[in-house]
Amino acid sequence: NNWSSFSATNGWLAGGARTNITASINTNANTLAASSYLGTIGFLNQSNGLGNTTRSVSLSVVLPPGNLGVSPLAGLASSGYAGGPFSPPGIIYALTNSGGSNLSWTVTKTANWLSLSGNSGTLAGGASTNVQVSISTNANGLAVGNYTDTVDFTNLSSGLGNTNRSVSLSVTVHPPVLFSGFRLLTNGAVGLTLQGVTGRVYSIVASTNLLNPLTTWTEVLRLTNTTGQTVFTNPPPSSSPQYYRAKEL
């Protein structure tokens, strides 16, 4: 074989003398595929053949163990008003196996306001997969406050690469949604100013009966509150009185 070397391959010994020969695995072994290899070392007495003998050499080459990598390094920090939605809504983690052997992985969390797109699997050497960690709809029922959890990524096969990522969720008080600046225009149209959350979309609904269920109110306008306050007008009401409400979508 070409994967073993010797400190010497020949020489002579005086009567009663001795010497040492070192057999080593050389760098050629670095290119061997995973398998079992056998070889034989022959020791020959070239003077008279007495004491000729052999020794066996075995080499077992195995694949490197599976090594779990998780990216990005950042955790998830999300926030929003009570009732949702929350931003960012989630994060995608790439799981990779930089080793040669298959690895089995798990992803776990504790909080019920978190969801995982997958919680276990197997990765071949060099393979990758994605797991999305998201704020679930359960978060919509959380009270105002700060919440935390930890997502654990575990290599069940070798333990190499075990890691975790932090998750934080800040739930804040929703600002009031108000109408102000009511005015009746000369053509009979109604002018109002909507005060609400910047960037949110609102449905302006109307009804002639303030006590009617909100589901029965008629949408008369839909607008995006780009600056926090939006002035809008509505055509003259067909009947009086006319009540207006704003629903955040």
Side-chain angles (χ1 to χ4, degrees):
N1 64 73
N2 69 343
W3 45 265
S4 58
S5 300
F6 308 100
S7 57
T9 58
N10 59 77
W12 64 275
L13 287 174
R18 61 181 294 172
T19 191
N20 292 328
I21 302 294
T22 301
S24 305
I25 305 300
N26 62 36
T27 55
N28 290 331
N30 296 344
T31 62
L32 294 175
S35 187
S36 296
Y37 299 85
L38 297 174
T40 300
I41 303 174
F43 297 89
L44 304 178
N45 180 345
Q46 295 182 325
S47 299
N48 57 29
L50 296 176
N52 288 350
T53 189
T54 61
R55 295 293 186 272
S56 63
V57 180
S58 65
L59 175 63
S60 179
V61 180
V62 298
L63 291 172
N67 193 342
L68 179 65
V70 179
S71 62
L73 295 175
L76 172 61
S78 187
S79 62
Y81 299 120
F86 300 96
S87 180
I91 187 172
I92 296 176
Y93 288 104
L95 279 58
T96 58
N97 179 5
S98 60
S101 302
N102 291 353
L103 69 80
S104 296
W105 56 268
T106 61
V107 182
T108 57
K109 52 83 179 178
T110 301
N112 72 345
W113 46 265
L114 274 181
S115 64
L116 305 172
S117 62
N119 54 26
S120 64
T122 300
L123 282 176
S128 64
T129 191
N130 291 332
V131 172
Q132 182 166 350
V133 179
S134 304
I135 306 299
S136 75
T137 55
N138 289 333
N140 297 343
L142 293 175
V144 171
N146 295 314
Y147 300 84
T148 60
D149 197 15
T150 300
V151 179
D152 292 304
F153 300 86
T154 304
N155 178 349
L156 297 177
S157 300
S158 67
L160 296 175
N162 288 351
T163 188
N164 59 61
R165 297 292 185 270
S166 62
V167 180
S168 64
L169 176 62
S170 176
V171 181
T172 56
V173 176
H174 195 295
V177 179
L178 304 172
F179 284 134
S180 63
F182 175 83
R183 55 206 175 279
L184 188 63
L185 306 181
T186 55
N187 63 355
V190 173
L192 286 168
T193 299
L194 170 71
Q195 176 182 320
V197 180
T198 301
R200 294 288 177 87
V201 177
Y202 289 88
S203 171
I204 310 301
V205 294
S207 175
T208 58
N209 187 340
L210 185 62
L211 300 180
N212 281 345
L214 186 58
T215 55
T216 67
W217 289 46
T218 302
E219 182 178 83
V220 296
L221 181 66
R222 183 170 294 198
L223 56 86
T224 300
N225 189 29
T226 55
T227 62
Q229 286 191 340
T230 301
V231 178
F232 68 93
T233 60
N234 191 58
S238 58
S239 60
S240 182
Q242 181 93 306
Y243 301 97
Y244 295 92
R245 285 180 174 178
K247 292 196 302 182
E248 189 173 294
L249 303 180

